[in-house]
Amino acid sequence: MKFRPLHDRVLVRRIAAEEKSAGGIIIPDNAKEKPQEGEVLAVGAGTISEKGDVRPLDVKAGDRILFGKWSGTEVKIDGEELLIMKESDVMGIVA
């Protein structure tokens, strides 16, 4: 299925969390926190100003981003858990 977010929304796939801590301790599944890093899969056209101009988004498909712990709405598309969030929920792009 093809999916294109509207306006200033982005479609994100979470990047898997680490299985071990920095000290080498294996973290069980029920103790893991959801990762706050993801890959942008699709972006909307941009925000519309009061004048009617469209401002394109700063993020693009393929970017690795950081976002807030409670950001976005979880959806299931083609059996895959994804997030849809506004561009303002994105904290930054990982270079």
Side-chain angles (χ1 to χ4, degrees), residues 39-86:
E39 177 186 2
V40 177
L41 300 177
V43 297
T47 57
I48 300 172
S49 70
E50 293 177 11
K51 296 178 182 177
D53 300 330
V54 176
R55 184 191 67 82
L57 302 182
D58 292 331
V59 296
K60 61 185 180 305
D63 284 347
R64 277 182 82 147
I65 60 168
L66 294 176
F67 50 87
K69 185 177 278 192
W70 307 109
S71 298
T73 301
E74 292 183 354
V75 296
K76 194 175 247 189
I77 299 176
D78 289 339
E80 185 176 11
E81 293 280 335
L82 302 172
L83 287 170
I84 297 176
M85 66 182 70
K86 288 188 167 250

